[in-house]
Structure formats: structure tokens, C-alpha cells
Amino acid sequence: MKIKNSGRRKAGRLIVSVLALFLLIAAMATSAAAEKKRPIYSVETDHKAVALGINSAWGNEDIDAILEVLAAHNVRASFFVLGGWADKYPESVAKIFAAGHEVGSHSNTHTDMTRLSDDQARREIRESVRKIEAITGRRPTLFRPPSGDYNSQTIALIEAEGLYPIQWDCDSLDYRDLTADQMWARISKNLKSGSILLFHSGTKNTAGALPQIIQAVRDRGYEFVPVSELIHPKPYTVDFAGRQRPA
């Protein structure tokens, strides 16, 4: 009986040790998840408002058409401009700004910033900001990491430069040459108050699809505002899903 009881005690101690280790690992994972810095994917708000974000990193052949659509529908959008794009198309950046839209940064060269050193990442941020400010006369306040790639250090560097890191929660996938109906099917699944919609200039169908999508969003009772008017000022928190809330 003593041998059996001893074996049971050892087994019990092993189970307790394994359970304790599991709880420790779970606590560490939870703590790490809580401490991870995240960009803003969407915004907690009582207003039925969403933001239209447009990345500009490729051609500029559809910029005039996009601006005409936005003007016709009285929508102010937020353009995230690559520094290299601003070099090639400064007149387009000037047109976007003159039309009353917001111009944020999308980095300088569209390099995955998680692969860069801190100094290289800072140069990506600062060079793009400098180029945009030189054209518009206004320093950007928003930054969207290239390809949506980031880690906690990326977000910390963006914030240290006085910028808000911005992602999206409604991706149109317009760069895949989807139709307006296909884009709306994707956006409508996640659309809610505080959503940030992702589109691109330099694509085949975006300019032609925007009127239908703008109307569909408004039919659901939402208004469009620039990202900077949607987000909360500092201090704020961002939860595990990227939802921004006042601190």
C-alpha cells in the first residue's frame, strides 16, 4: 500500500507541476499579447462614421477620376502616399491636398519595415513625411506601414515620430481587379461604425467602383470622414483586434 500511495503522490505532484507550467506559459502569452503594440484598424465611436483610405504607391493615371468621384459625392478621403510616388507625381499630391483630402504617409520606398534596422525605419518615415510636407506645406499625422506589415517596434517608431499608425478593417482588394459588386461584398461583411476602408489608386476598377460603394455605405446610414477626424487623440488604447478607444 505504501508503494502504491507513494506512486500516486509522485503522479499527483507531476500533474500539479505540469499544470503550474501550463498556467505560467498561458500567463506569459497573455501578458505578451497585452503588451504588443498594434496600429489602429478601426475606431470605437458612437457616431455612424467611417473613413475612406486610399493608398497611392503605383501609377497616377486614375487620380483625376478618383478626385472627380469624391468631389461629386462630397467625400473627404485620406490618401496614404509613398515618398517615391510623391517624387514621381508631385502634381498629383498637390491636387489631392488642394481638393481638401488628407495626405498621410505610406513610407518612402514601400519596404517591409519589420526587416529594417531602427535607423533605416526612421529614415523611411522621415523621408516620406519630409517629401509630403514639402509639397503640401502640412506635416502628415498618419502613417500606414507598407503591405500592412509591422511589429511592436515598428509601431513604437511610428508613434515616436508623432504619427498615428493606421491599418484598416475593410479591405476592398481592388488591386486584384475586382468588380464593384465584388469589392462591396468584401467591405459590407465587416462594415461598422469606426471602420477604415482600404482602396488603392493606380488600379483598373477603383475609380469606376467608388460611386456604387460610396452610395452603398451611405445607404446603411454611415457618413464619410477623414481618418484623422475618426480616430481619438492621445491618450488612447488599441485592443487585440486593433479597435481604438479613448484611454
Side-chain angles (χ1 to χ4, degrees):
M1 288 295 294
K2 289 182 178 180
I3 294 175
K4 289 183 179 179
N5 289 336
S6 176
R8 288 172 182 164
R9 284 195 295 272
K10 288 180 180 178
R13 285 195 295 270
L14 179 60
I15 292 171
V16 170
S17 297
V18 170
L19 180 60
L21 180 60
F22 173 80
L23 292 174
L24 176 61
I25 292 172
M28 291 173 64
T30 300
S31 176
E35 293 174 2
K36 181 179 179 180
K37 296 183 74 66
R38 294 176 175 82
I40 300 167
Y41 284 77
S42 66
V43 179
E44 187 70 25
T45 176
D46 294 331
H47 302 293
K48 292 204 70 174
V50 300
L52 176 60
I54 301 173
N55 290 0
S56 294
W58 304 321
N60 76 331
E61 60 275 10
D62 58 347
I63 286 295
D64 287 348
I66 289 174
L67 292 178
E68 287 174 8
V69 169
L70 297 177
H73 291 81
N74 195 29
V75 171
R76 292 168 61 214
S78 299
F79 286 76
F80 293 87
V81 172
L82 201 69
W85 195 84
D87 288 335
K88 291 179 67 176
Y89 309 113
E91 71 286 353
S92 292
V93 177
K95 280 183 180 180
I96 290 167
F97 183 74
H101 303 292
E102 185 167 46
V103 183
S105 170
H106 193 35
S107 82
N108 192 45
T109 64
H110 209 277
T111 303
D112 180 353
M113 294 181 66
T114 64
R115 300 177 182 272
L116 301 179
S117 68
D118 286 0
D119 285 342
Q120 290 171 325
R122 288 190 192 95
R123 281 197 293 273
E124 281 289 317
I125 298 168
R126 291 173 180 176
E127 276 298 291
S128 62
V129 166
R130 180 187 63 78
K131 292 174 181 179
I132 293 168
E133 185 173 12
I135 296 170
T136 66
R138 183 174 298 176
R139 188 179 189 276
T141 60
L142 310 177
F143 187 93
R144 174 167 283 166
S147 303
D149 291 327
Y150 69 91
N151 54 27
S152 290
Q153 185 63 8
T154 304
I155 303 306
L157 289 169
I158 294 168
E159 292 176 339
E161 293 298 319
L163 303 169
Y164 290 86
I166 305 297
Q167 294 281 80
W168 60 86
D169 66 332
C170 294
D171 188 352
S172 68
L173 289 185
D174 56 348
Y175 63 91
R176 294 185 180 178
D177 295 342
L178 300 187
T179 65
D181 286 339
Q182 289 171 326
M183 293 182 208
W184 173 242
R186 291 188 51 80
I187 291 168
S188 61
K189 291 186 297 184
N190 296 320
L191 189 67
K192 57 185 174 293
S193 293
S195 281
I196 300 173
L197 285 58
L198 173 63
F199 287 85
H200 301 77
S201 62
T203 64
K204 180 180 177 181
N205 296 327
T206 299
L210 279 175
Q212 176 181 328
I213 292 169
I214 290 170
Q215 188 58 53
V217 171
R218 283 180 167 158
D219 286 345
R220 289 197 175 184
Y222 298 104
E223 66 171 319
F224 287 94
V225 298
V227 170
S228 64
E229 294 182 15
L230 184 69
I231 60 177
H232 300 291
K234 299 174 182 178
Y236 63 83
T237 62
V238 179
D239 68 17
F240 68 94
R243 188 85 166 164
Q244 188 211 33
R245 295 181 172 85

